């Protein structure tokens, strides 16, 4: 594991790697604090109205202004991707599956709601559904790359891949505080891995307004898991996402976002290089003059040692006061079965602690994954796990293998050519 001495060296290394680092980031830090004062005010005033929403049927007809808005906010609700009845049928299929297989592992163990399942028929069918793949393609194509990456078709944003993740069927009334505001897809790796760090080069050069979270350079070779931490995804997802298979509304255990991925990236990446000169509860904590450039400590606020590596970033009101998280974590508006929610891989997101509704809130996690060399190599290994009926490579083996459960899906359940290609299976069903 990387220890405090390594983290201190890492900070010094970054500071030495960019010309006039201290002067440039100090200027940027002040500007970012000013900008965040405006952005956070707007977010808290507008609430759910701030989150972009659109209909699946309108996907091809968006204006440039709508696309720009989705890009800067980093999240989008896309409605009616799947017909209601199909989504409800999948939910019933999952409920029946869990009932027929009481030994499926899940959390919390005494009343499982977050199930360690990857290869049930509803999941396989949902990932392979042409509309889900069409949405994935559209989201992947929000990103861009230069010609060199396109060589030999090694990167193709029009070819979506299927990443097998799990599902949630959350019961009403259960308090759930395991998902406070956080960013997935790499913790200390964001600073530590040279390719990952290059994604944030403009920020470290002080040109934070140029930061483009949709440039694939750097990202496609970024190592999001340098410390073999269990449960850390190793694939590159352009957007994480879920498909609702039940109604879920605010206060019913839905997802929340800090809806400005550009500003949260800039702030979180610069934060380790500054320390407050006043206590966290001081009325002056938000003032730029209350902060000072400092690389003399190994602190990376919000990066937390876990297992063999680190988890986070986990911004908190104390550690990241300018995000004003207590006012700016916005719950996604009510969704119905067949609606989807997607969020950029750098997005600060959380899951509501309370579910005060009357019914289970159910989603299948289905991210957008483009064809890149690193992703392809993962999906090849994932396909082998699928064919053997065992958990995908990013996840620890279960007490039972999935093929031992009653009613598990298999390759013959994927009929559409696009769905089979996304799993790197032969296009025709054998
Ligand atoms: Fe997450």
């Amino acid at each position: 594991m990387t220890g405090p001495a390594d983290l201190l060296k890492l900070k010094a290394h970054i500071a030495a790697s960019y010309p006039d680092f201290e002067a440039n980031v100090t200027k940027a830090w002040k500007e970012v604090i000013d900008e965040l004062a405006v952005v956070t005010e707007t977010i808290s005033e507008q609430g759910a109205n701030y989150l972009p929403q659109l209909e699946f049927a309108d996907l091809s007809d968006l204006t440039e202004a709508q696309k720009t808005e989705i890009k800067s906010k980093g999240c989008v609700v896309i409605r009616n991707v799947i017909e209601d009845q199909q989504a409800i049928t999948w939910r019933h299929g999952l409920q029946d599956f869990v009932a027929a297989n009481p030994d499926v592992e899940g959390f919390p163990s005494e009343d499982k709601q977050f199930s360690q399942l990857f290869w049930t028929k509803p999941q396989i069918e949902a990932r392979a559904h042409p509309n889900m793949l069409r949405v994935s393609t559209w989201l992947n194509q929000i990103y861009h790359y230069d010609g060199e990456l396109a060589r030999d078709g090694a990167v193709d944003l029009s070819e979506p891949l299927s990443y097998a993740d799990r599902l949630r069927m959350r019961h009403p009334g259960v308090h759930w505080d395991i998902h406070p505001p956080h960013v997935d897809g790499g913790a200390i790796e964001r600073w530590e891995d040279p390719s990952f760090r290059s994604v944030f080069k403009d920020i470290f050069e002080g040109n934070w307004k140029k930061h483009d979270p949709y440039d694939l350079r750097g990202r496609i070779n970024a190592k999001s898991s340098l410390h073999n931490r269990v449960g850390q995804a190793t694939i590159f997802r352009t957007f994480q996402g879920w498909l609702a298979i039940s109604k879920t509304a605010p206060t019913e255990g839905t997802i929340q976002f800090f809806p400005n991925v550009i500003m949260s990236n800039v702030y979180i990446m610069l934060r380790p290089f500054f320390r407050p000169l006043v206590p966290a509860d001081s009325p002056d904590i938000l003032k730029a003059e209350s902060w000072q450039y400092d690389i003399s400590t190994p602190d990376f606020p919000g990066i937390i040692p876990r297992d063999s590596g680190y988890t986070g970033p986990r911004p908190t009101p104390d550690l990241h006061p300018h995000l004003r998280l207590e006012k700016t974590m916005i719950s996604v508006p009510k969704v119905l079965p067949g609606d989807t929610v997607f969020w950029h891989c750098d997005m600060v997101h959380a899951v509501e602690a309370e579910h005060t509704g009357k019914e289970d809130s159910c989603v299948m996690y289905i991210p957008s994954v483009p064809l890149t060399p690193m992703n392809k190599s993962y999906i090849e290994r994932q396909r082998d796990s699928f064919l053997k009926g065992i958990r995908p490579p990013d996840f620890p083996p279960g007490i039972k293998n999935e093929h031992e459960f009653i009613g598990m899906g298999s390759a013959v359940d994927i009929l559409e050519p696009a769905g089979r290609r996304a799993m790197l299976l032969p296009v025709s069903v054998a």
Side-chain angles (χ1 to χ4, degrees):
M1 184 176 134
T2 311
D6 302 296
L7 295 179
L8 202 54
K9 267 192 228 159
L10 174 60
K11 268 194 197 177
H13 172 71
I14 294 172
S17 300
Y18 302 90
D20 299 324
F21 183 77
E22 178 175 346
N24 286 336
V25 296
T26 301
K27 180 168 174 288
W29 181 250
K30 286 191 170 63
E31 292 167 355
V32 168
I33 285 177
D34 287 347
E35 179 73 11
L36 274 172
V38 178
V39 167
T40 55
E41 197 54 36
T42 310
I43 293 172
S44 70
E45 269 170 27
Q46 294 194 18
N49 291 333
Y50 196 75
L51 305 185
Q53 300 185 50
L54 55 103
E55 286 287 325
F56 174 71
D58 297 335
L59 214 52
S60 337
D61 303 317
L62 296 193
T63 62
E64 280 311 308
Q66 283 174 301
K67 284 187 209 163
T68 304
E69 184 194 356
I70 292 167
K71 284 173 84 166
S72 71
K73 295 181 179 176
C75 57
V76 60
V77 178
I78 307 179
R79 297 194 182 275
N80 295 308
V81 176
I82 301 291
E83 289 199 353
D84 299 18
Q85 198 46 54
Q86 173 64 79
I88 292 166
T89 303
W90 283 334
R91 181 177 84 230
H92 292 157
L94 289 168
Q95 286 164 336
D96 292 348
F97 186 92
V98 173
N101 295 283
D103 46 356
V104 164
E105 289 166 66
F107 175 88
S109 53
E110 68 283 2
D111 180 25
K112 294 163 207 162
Q113 299 171 53
F114 189 87
S115 301
Q116 299 291 334
L117 284 171
F118 302 87
W119 304 127
T120 66
K121 274 186 198 177
Q123 286 169 292
I124 292 168
E125 289 174 7
R127 287 178 204 129
H129 194 288
N131 290 8
M132 288 302 291
L133 291 169
R134 171 134 188 267
V135 169
S136 282
T137 303
W138 185 83
L139 291 163
N140 290 341
Q141 289 179 333
I142 293 180
Y143 282 67
H144 61 92
Y145 56 99
D146 62 25
E148 203 175 313
L149 289 182
R151 224 174 24 213
D152 306 327
V155 174
D156 188 346
L157 297 180
S158 66
E159 279 292 333
L161 297 175
S162 279
Y163 181 76
D165 204 332
R166 292 152 293 181
L167 57 101
R168 169 192 96 203
M169 293 198 280
R170 184 172 169 181
H171 305 328
V174 180
H175 185 83
W176 195 336
D177 55 8
I178 53 169
H179 291 117
H182 67 283
V183 180
D184 294 313
I188 194 68
E189 290 85 353
R190 290 170 182 272
W191 292 268
E192 187 179 10
D193 176 59
S195 185
F196 210 155
R197 188 168 66 238
S198 73
V199 167
F200 309 105
K201 174 173 173 283
D202 288 327
I203 299 172
F204 293 134
E205 288 179 348
N207 298 320
W208 63 277
K209 287 183 182 162
K210 278 176 62 190
H211 171 57
D212 177 2
Y214 299 91
D215 188 344
L216 275 183
R217 265 177 314 168
R219 284 200 190 267
I220 63 161
N221 293 315
K223 294 192 175 58
S224 56
S225 181
L226 285 175
H227 304 281
N228 297 317
R229 191 170 73 73
V230 169
Q232 176 76 282
T234 57
I235 201 158
F236 166 58
R237 297 169 282 197
T238 55
F239 283 79
Q240 300 193 70
W242 52 244
L243 165 67
I245 49 175
S246 73
K247 173 182 90 79
T248 301
T251 76
E252 295 179 2
T254 198
I255 192 162
Q256 301 178 306
F257 298 122
F258 175 87
N260 192 313
V261 69
I262 295 176
M263 291 312 296
S264 56
N265 267 359
V266 174
Y267 184 72
I268 288 171
M269 293 309 293
L270 289 180
R271 176 66 183 85
F273 302 94
F274 294 88
R275 76 177 166 95
L277 301 170
V278 297
D281 59 359
S282 161
D284 293 331
I285 190 72
L286 296 181
K287 292 182 178 162
E289 53 269 31
S290 300
W291 293 77
Q292 189 173 60
Y293 177 81
D294 181 7
I295 58 166
S296 67
T297 75
D299 297 346
F300 278 75
I303 299 296
I304 303 157
R306 166 88 59 91
D307 304 328
S308 59
Y310 293 85
T311 190
R314 282 194 180 198
T316 67
D318 275 359
L319 295 173
H320 298 80
H322 301 94
L323 295 179
R324 297 171 73 207
L325 294 170
E326 61 290 346
K327 291 180 165 191
T328 55
M329 290 302 293
I330 305 297
S331 297
V332 162
K334 180 170 140 185
V335 292
L336 296 173
D339 294 344
T340 57
V341 180
F342 291 92
W343 60 100
H344 185 283
C345 52
D346 291 344
M347 194 81 176
V348 176
H349 59 288
V351 177
E352 289 178 340
E354 303 298 338
H355 178 358
T356 60
K358 295 206 165 21
E359 290 159 31
D360 285 1
S361 118
C362 307
V363 304
M364 291 193 242
Y365 297 99
I366 303 181
S368 292
V369 175
L371 180 68
T372 70
M374 192 175 74
N375 286 352
K376 184 167 179 242
S377 117
Y378 177 83
I379 300 295
E380 281 166 355
R381 290 185 289 127
Q382 179 188 271
R383 174 194 56 203
D384 297 343
S385 306
F386 175 51
L387 295 174
K388 286 185 202 151
I390 61 173
R391 286 187 187 174
D394 267 353
F395 300 88
I399 296 166
K400 257 179 123 170
N401 287 316
E402 294 218 6
H403 65 80
E404 297 173 74
F405 292 125
I406 302 161
M408 190 55 63
S410 70
V412 295
D413 296 311
I414 309 178
L415 302 173
E416 295 275 350
R420 298 185 66 82
R421 271 206 312 278
M423 284 288 289
L424 301 179
L425 290 166
V427 170
S428 61
V429 181

CSV table of all heavy atoms in Angstrom, one decimal, residues 21-41:
chain,number,residue,atom,x,y,z
A,21,PHE,N,3.7,25.8,-10.7
A,21,PHE,CA,2.5,25.1,-10.2
A,21,PHE,C,1.9,25.9,-9.0
A,21,PHE,O,0.7,26.2,-9.1
A,21,PHE,CB,2.9,23.7,-9.6
A,21,PHE,CG,1.8,22.9,-9.1
A,21,PHE,CD1,0.9,22.3,-9.9
A,21,PHE,CD2,1.6,22.8,-7.7
A,21,PHE,CE1,-0.2,21.5,-9.4
A,21,PHE,CE2,0.5,22.1,-7.2
A,21,PHE,CZ,-0.3,21.4,-8.0
A,22,GLU,N,2.7,26.3,-8.1
A,22,GLU,CA,2.1,27.0,-6.9
A,22,GLU,C,1.4,28.3,-7.3
A,22,GLU,O,0.2,28.5,-6.9
A,22,GLU,CB,3.2,27.4,-5.9
A,22,GLU,CG,2.7,28.1,-4.7
A,22,GLU,CD,3.7,28.4,-3.6
A,22,GLU,OE1,4.8,27.8,-3.6
A,22,GLU,OE2,3.4,29.2,-2.7
A,23,ALA,N,2.0,29.1,-8.1
A,23,ALA,CA,1.4,30.4,-8.6
A,23,ALA,C,0.1,30.1,-9.4
A,23,ALA,O,-1.0,30.7,-9.1
A,23,ALA,CB,2.3,31.2,-9.4
A,24,ASN,N,0.2,29.1,-10.3
A,24,ASN,CA,-1.0,28.9,-11.2
A,24,ASN,C,-2.2,28.3,-10.4
A,24,ASN,O,-3.3,28.7,-10.6
A,24,ASN,CB,-0.6,27.9,-12.3
A,24,ASN,CG,0.3,28.6,-13.3
A,24,ASN,OD1,0.2,29.9,-13.5
A,24,ASN,ND2,1.1,27.9,-14.0
A,25,VAL,N,-1.9,27.3,-9.5
A,25,VAL,CA,-3.0,26.7,-8.9
A,25,VAL,C,-3.6,27.6,-7.8
A,25,VAL,O,-4.8,27.6,-7.5
A,25,VAL,CB,-2.7,25.3,-8.3
A,25,VAL,CG1,-2.4,24.3,-9.4
A,25,VAL,CG2,-1.6,25.3,-7.3
A,26,THR,N,-2.7,28.4,-7.2
A,26,THR,CA,-3.2,29.4,-6.2
A,26,THR,C,-4.2,30.4,-6.8
A,26,THR,O,-5.3,30.7,-6.3
A,26,THR,CB,-2.1,30.1,-5.5
A,26,THR,OG1,-1.2,29.1,-4.9
A,26,THR,CG2,-2.5,31.1,-4.4
A,27,LYS,N,-3.8,30.8,-8.0
A,27,LYS,CA,-4.7,31.7,-8.8
A,27,LYS,C,-6.0,31.0,-9.1
A,27,LYS,O,-7.1,31.5,-8.9
A,27,LYS,CB,-4.0,32.2,-10.0
A,27,LYS,CG,-4.9,33.2,-10.9
A,27,LYS,CD,-4.0,33.8,-11.9
A,27,LYS,CE,-4.7,34.7,-12.9
A,27,LYS,NZ,-5.6,33.9,-13.8
A,28,ALA,N,-5.9,29.8,-9.6
A,28,ALA,CA,-7.0,29.0,-10.0
A,28,ALA,C,-7.9,28.7,-8.8
A,28,ALA,O,-9.2,28.8,-8.9
A,28,ALA,CB,-6.6,27.6,-10.6
A,29,TRP,N,-7.3,28.4,-7.7
A,29,TRP,CA,-8.1,28.1,-6.5
A,29,TRP,C,-9.0,29.2,-6.1
A,29,TRP,O,-10.2,29.0,-5.8
A,29,TRP,CB,-7.1,27.7,-5.3
A,29,TRP,CG,-7.8,27.3,-4.0
A,29,TRP,CD1,-7.8,28.1,-2.9
A,29,TRP,CD2,-8.5,26.1,-3.7
A,29,TRP,NE1,-8.4,27.4,-1.9
A,29,TRP,CE2,-8.9,26.2,-2.4
A,29,TRP,CE3,-8.8,25.0,-4.5
A,29,TRP,CZ2,-9.6,25.2,-1.7
A,29,TRP,CZ3,-9.5,24.0,-3.8
A,29,TRP,CH2,-9.9,24.1,-2.5
A,30,LYS,N,-8.5,30.4,-6.1
A,30,LYS,CA,-9.3,31.6,-5.8
A,30,LYS,C,-10.5,31.8,-6.8
A,30,LYS,O,-11.6,32.0,-6.4
A,30,LYS,CB,-8.5,32.9,-5.8
A,30,LYS,CG,-7.5,33.0,-4.7
A,30,LYS,CD,-6.9,34.5,-4.6
A,30,LYS,CE,-6.2,34.8,-3.4
A,30,LYS,NZ,-5.0,33.9,-3.2
A,31,GLU,N,-10.1,31.6,-8.1
A,31,GLU,CA,-11.2,31.7,-9.1
A,31,GLU,C,-12.3,30.7,-8.9
A,31,GLU,O,-13.5,30.9,-9.1
A,31,GLU,CB,-10.6,31.6,-10.5
A,31,GLU,CG,-9.7,32.8,-10.9
A,31,GLU,CD,-8.8,32.5,-12.1
A,31,GLU,OE1,-8.8,31.4,-12.6
A,31,GLU,OE2,-8.1,33.4,-12.5
A,32,VAL,N,-11.8,29.5,-8.6
A,32,VAL,CA,-12.8,28.3,-8.5
A,32,VAL,C,-13.7,28.6,-7.3
A,32,VAL,O,-14.9,28.3,-7.3
A,32,VAL,CB,-12.0,27.0,-8.3
A,32,VAL,CG1,-12.9,25.9,-7.9
A,32,VAL,CG2,-11.3,26.7,-9.6
A,33,ILE,N,-13.1,29.1,-6.2
A,33,ILE,CA,-14.0,29.4,-5.0
A,33,ILE,C,-15.0,30.4,-5.4
A,33,ILE,O,-16.2,30.3,-5.0
A,33,ILE,CB,-13.1,29.9,-3.9
A,33,ILE,CG1,-12.3,28.7,-3.3
A,33,ILE,CG2,-13.9,30.7,-2.8
A,33,ILE,CD1,-11.3,29.1,-2.2
A,34,ASP,N,-14.6,31.5,-6.2
A,34,ASP,CA,-15.6,32.5,-6.6
A,34,ASP,C,-16.7,31.9,-7.5
A,34,ASP,O,-17.9,32.1,-7.3
A,34,ASP,CB,-14.9,33.6,-7.4
A,34,ASP,CG,-14.1,34.5,-6.5
A,34,ASP,OD1,-14.3,34.4,-5.3
A,34,ASP,OD2,-13.3,35.3,-7.0
A,35,GLU,N,-16.3,31.0,-8.4
A,35,GLU,CA,-17.2,30.4,-9.4
A,35,GLU,C,-18.2,29.5,-8.6
A,35,GLU,O,-19.4,29.4,-8.9
A,35,GLU,CB,-16.4,29.7,-10.5
A,35,GLU,CG,-17.3,28.9,-11.5
A,35,GLU,CD,-18.0,29.9,-12.5
A,35,GLU,OE1,-17.6,31.1,-12.5
A,35,GLU,OE2,-18.9,29.4,-13.2
A,36,LEU,N,-17.6,28.7,-7.7
A,36,LEU,CA,-18.5,27.8,-6.9
A,36,LEU,C,-19.5,28.5,-6.1
A,36,LEU,O,-20.6,28.0,-5.9
A,36,LEU,CB,-17.6,26.9,-6.0
A,36,LEU,CG,-17.1,25.6,-6.7
A,36,LEU,CD1,-16.1,24.9,-5.7
A,36,LEU,CD2,-18.2,24.7,-7.1
A,37,ALA,N,-19.2,29.7,-5.6
A,37,ALA,CA,-20.2,30.5,-4.9
A,37,ALA,C,-21.4,30.7,-5.7
A,37,ALA,O,-22.6,30.6,-5.3
A,37,ALA,CB,-19.6,31.8,-4.4
A,38,VAL,N,-21.2,31.0,-7.0
A,38,VAL,CA,-22.3,31.3,-7.9
A,38,VAL,C,-23.0,29.9,-8.3
A,38,VAL,O,-24.3,29.8,-8.2
A,38,VAL,CB,-21.8,32.0,-9.2
A,38,VAL,CG1,-22.9,32.2,-10.2
A,38,VAL,CG2,-21.1,33.3,-8.9
A,39,VAL,N,-22.2,29.0,-8.7
A,39,VAL,CA,-22.8,27.7,-9.2
A,39,VAL,C,-23.6,27.0,-8.1
A,39,VAL,O,-24.7,26.5,-8.3
A,39,VAL,CB,-21.7,26.8,-9.7
A,39,VAL,CG1,-22.2,25.3,-9.8
A,39,VAL,CG2,-21.0,27.3,-10.9
A,40,THR,N,-23.1,27.0,-6.9
A,40,THR,CA,-23.8,26.3,-5.8
A,40,THR,C,-25.1,27.0,-5.4
A,40,THR,O,-26.1,26.4,-5.1
A,40,THR,CB,-22.9,26.1,-4.5
A,40,THR,OG1,-22.4,27.4,-4.1
A,40,THR,CG2,-21.7,25.2,-4.8
A,41,GLU,N,-25.1,28.3,-5.5
A,41,GLU,CA,-26.3,29.1,-5.2
A,41,GLU,C,-27.4,28.7,-6.3
A,41,GLU,O,-28.5,28.4,-5.9
A,41,GLU,CB,-26.0,30.6,-5.3
A,41,GLU,CG,-27.0,31.5,-4.7
A,41,GLU,CD,-27.3,31.1,-3.2
A,41,GLU,OE1,-26.4,30.7,-2.5
A,41,GLU,OE2,-28.5,31.2,-2.9
